[in-house]
Amino acid sequence: AAFLDAIPEVDSFIAKARAGTFDLGEYLAWSERTFVAGGEKVGTGAKENVNAFGKHFLEKISQSAKAGEDKLELLHSLFKEVYL
């Protein structure tokens, strides 16, 4: 449930990644505030998954955007390709 509760807040980070302005430090600080130990949204596994999403996916999307590519758009086009 903690992971699902965090999803709406991730949208702004996805937008920043697509614009090439994603800041991993800002993202990890948000994650720390969102998944407070002993808090209402306890979930070590969820926190690890959210952090990994930022480190391994959003960071790469942001780097590709800085290089003038939109790998997220490419990924979407692959999913909608009817011949796959």
Side-chain angles (χ1 to χ4, degrees):
F3 182 77
L4 294 176
D5 290 343
I7 288 175
E9 297 179 46
V10 173
D11 286 348
S12 66
F13 293 106
I14 293 171
K16 288 178 182 181
R18 291 194 74 190
T21 60
F22 176 73
D23 181 336
L24 183 58
E26 176 188 1
Y27 181 84
L28 294 177
W30 163 79
S31 175
E32 284 293 322
R33 291 189 309 274
T34 302
F35 299 99
V36 179
E40 181 180 306
K41 297 180 181 178
V42 176
T44 303
K47 181 178 178 180
E48 289 174 4
N49 288 339
V50 166
N51 287 348
F53 178 70
K55 291 175 184 176
H56 302 291
F57 185 76
L58 293 178
E59 185 71 18
K60 289 178 182 175
I61 293 297
S62 187
Q63 293 301 320
S64 70
K66 288 177 186 175
E69 302 170 350
D70 190 344
K71 291 191 177 179
L72 192 55
E73 183 62 36
L74 174 63
L75 182 63
H76 283 197
S77 68
L78 288 173
F79 283 132
K80 70 180 184 180
E81 179 62 46
V82 294
Y83 298 108
L84 288 180

